[in-house]
Amino acid sequence: VPVLFLAHRKELIDQAAGKLEAFEVPHGVIMAGYPLDLTAPVQVASVQTAIRRKLPPHFKLIIIDEAHHAAAESYRKITEQYPDAIVIGLTATPFRADGRGLGNSFSDWVRVASVSELIDWGFLVPAKYWAPASVDLAGVKRSKGDFDEAELADRVNKPRLIGNIVEHYAKITPGQRAICFAANCIHSRAIVDAFKASGIPAAHLDAETPRGERENILADLALGNVRVVSNCGILSEGYDNP
């Protein structure tokens, strides 16, 4: 069955292609900067590239990664080209950013596993939590069900709080590889500066980081040359780093 796998971020495209490669599934990648091979039965496509190119007409199965985005116009423009195809969405958060459901995009849903089950089966590691120094979030506005990014960043981008991150990293997980999730890019760069000031190799990632630099940073993290990667909106949805 010809399959189209859709994702919206380079890391997710590379991740899906890597999994298919590991299982020896013939596949192609439809994304700017990648060689095109439309003869393969499975195509892993960037949504941004797929809406700008003429796609093969024969896909019978469409799989949408991070399917809470499926209601967006870009996804609909693609799926509407294949009215007879089966569409399967994958997501750990089956609701849109505005809090609404996905009933307009999918006719049914299947609960595959809970977080606790995935931990029991060995797919996820048990989480341990340490609370940081207290953060005053009183009065911070909310937008689309979450804290307003600019106001949140202003509250958390404080030397005391950032120093607390570095202090606890050195105390609890010294020398181990780590990923930080920042409120915005300014906050992320400040975190990286604090780690570097303490002699810990660190790097920042965001949507504006050039592709080659992004690949090098993640490769350095995998090798341990970089100990900490702080990011804003890049290593969040669907990112898999065993």
Side-chain angles (χ1 to χ4, degrees):
V1 176
V3 178
L4 176 64
F5 185 98
L6 291 173
H8 71 298
R9 189 169 290 146
K10 178 187 183 302
E11 284 74 19
L12 302 182
I13 299 291
D14 290 340
Q15 195 166 276
K19 295 291 186 183
L20 291 169
E21 182 74 26
F23 284 94
E24 300 182 346
V25 176
H27 64 282
V29 175
I30 302 174
M31 185 174 179
Y34 287 70
L36 195 62
D37 176 15
L38 296 179
T39 64
V42 178
Q43 296 293 324
V44 181
S46 159
V47 172
Q48 295 85 345
T49 301
I51 59 175
R52 296 195 300 265
R53 292 188 182 176
K54 183 175 177 59
L55 296 174
H58 58 270
F59 294 118
K60 301 300 182 184
L61 172 64
I62 299 175
I63 300 174
I64 300 177
D65 199 15
E66 303 304 322
H68 45 279
H69 296 294
E73 184 179 0
S74 55
Y75 288 82
R76 288 191 287 104
K77 282 184 176 179
I78 297 169
T79 56
E80 285 171 358
Q81 298 178 45
Y82 305 96
D84 297 324
I86 296 172
V87 180
I88 298 176
L90 312 175
T91 181
T93 51
F95 47 84
R96 291 157 47 176
D98 59 9
R100 298 168 63 188
L102 296 171
N104 290 335
S105 302
F106 302 98
S107 60
D108 203 353
W109 72 285
V110 178
R111 176 189 169 279
V112 178
S114 67
V115 171
S116 60
E117 287 171 334
L118 292 171
I119 291 173
D120 291 341
W121 299 336
F123 291 105
L124 297 176
V125 295
K128 297 180 181 179
Y129 301 87
W130 284 267
S134 58
V135 182
D136 180 14
L137 299 181
V140 176
K141 291 187 297 187
R142 288 182 174 268
S143 175
K144 296 181 180 179
D146 206 344
F147 288 114
D148 178 82
E149 181 182 288
E151 290 194 14
L152 176 64
D154 184 63
R155 294 291 182 92
V156 299
N157 191 15
K158 307 294 185 185
R160 175 180 62 87
L161 297 176
I162 293 173
N164 192 259
I165 296 172
V166 178
E167 173 190 342
H168 281 78
Y169 167 85
K171 179 180 178 181
I172 298 168
T173 58
Q176 294 190 33
R177 289 171 292 175
I179 296 174
C180 290
F181 301 92
N184 66 5
C185 295
I186 296 173
H187 182 219
S188 179
R189 291 190 181 96
I191 291 172
V192 167
D193 289 343
F195 273 103
K196 287 182 174 179
S198 296
I200 300 167
H204 160 80
L205 283 180
D206 64 41
E208 300 301 320
T209 306
R211 175 182 294 179
E213 183 180 345
R214 191 185 296 192
E215 291 174 349
N216 290 338
I217 288 172
L218 293 177
D220 282 340
L221 178 67
L223 293 170
N225 298 330
V226 167
R227 293 294 176 180
V228 178
V229 171
S230 184
N231 82 110
C232 180
I234 295 297
L235 306 180
S236 50
E237 289 179 315
Y239 181 63
D240 180 23
N241 187 338

